[in-house]
């Protein structure tokens, strides 16, 4: 599960329903503290979250500020994995970064007979996941990635997309796009590259390639979000 639900009943209810449906298959809350209401930011993390994970996984992705509205529902097959998400840009970075031959994509038309207006994670996405786990995709029509909401957004973005519990700041920039000599400029502060925390003095800000392959800004034994006044959605500048 990949959500912005945070702590509370929402994650627990979905997990219980999925676990009861397939008791021998693990149900994992991969991340539940994504930036609320920002599928554009969550989508930048999704490729890294999936990287190195077990194949034949179904990812139930719900960052859905348009819940109950006219937004569509997507089911995607990428390699051996399935992904379910609203059509709000959440899946676009992952789909666009995958080999076209590995991607099959549908807009799901099926709706359950009982559906609350505000909790589609439980009432719509969960029964869809249950059916796909049984090997059946309910009523759906093929769609192209180019037709999705958010398909016109830049492939990468110099934007803060997530802040973890340590105050480390993940950006939407793939680290492979920067050389080690590049500097991240935040206000009047120039942040240089380091390989990892132990390579800089305590209290020193630096940027590095994180475990998801993204540019991350940190302060050794400190909080980059506080020290550098960074928040999800903020833009940053990179210079050679």
């Amino acid at each position: 599960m990949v959500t912005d639900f945070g702590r509370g009943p929402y994650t627990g209810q979905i997990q219980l329903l999925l676990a009861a449906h397939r008791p021998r298959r693990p149900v994992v809350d991969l991340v539940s503290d994504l930036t609320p209401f920002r599928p554009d930011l969550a989508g930048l993390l999704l490729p890294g979250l999936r990287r190195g994970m077990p194949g034949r996984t179904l990812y139930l992705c719900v960052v859905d500020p348009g819940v109950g509205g006219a937004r569509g529902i997507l089911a995607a097959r990428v390699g051996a994995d399935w992904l379910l998400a609203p059509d709000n840009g959440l899946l676009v970075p992952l789909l666009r970064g995958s080999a076209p031959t590995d991607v099959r994509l549908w807009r799901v038309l099926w709706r359950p007979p009982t559906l609350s207006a505000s909790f589609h994670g439980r009432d719509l996405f969960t029964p869809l996941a249950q059916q796909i786990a049984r090997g059946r995709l309910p009523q759906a029509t093929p769609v192209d990635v180019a037709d999705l909401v958010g398909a016109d957004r830049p492939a990468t973005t110099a934007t803060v997309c997530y802040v973890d519990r340590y105050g480390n700041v993940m950006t939407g920039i793939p680290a492979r796009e920067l050389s080690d000599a590049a500097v991240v400029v935040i206000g009047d502060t120039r942040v240089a590259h380091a390989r990892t925390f132990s390579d800089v003095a305590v209290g020193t800000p630096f940027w590095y390639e994180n475990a998801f392959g993204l540019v991350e800004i940190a302060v050794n034994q400190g909080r980059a979000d506080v020290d550098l006044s960074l928040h999800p959605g903020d833009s940053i500048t990179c210079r050679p």
Side-chain angles (χ1 to χ4, degrees), residues 133-182:
R134 290 197 298 262
R136 175 180 178 270
L137 176 65
Q139 184 185 10
T141 184
V143 64
D144 293 329
V145 176
D147 295 328
L148 300 186
V149 172
D152 56 346
R153 295 173 188 158
T156 63
T157 177
T159 302
V160 174
C161 59
Y162 181 77
V163 178
D164 70 16
R165 67 181 298 266
Y166 299 103
N168 301 325
V169 174
M170 297 188 197
T171 76
I173 309 168
R176 65 178 182 273
E177 294 186 0
L178 297 185
S179 73
D180 290 352

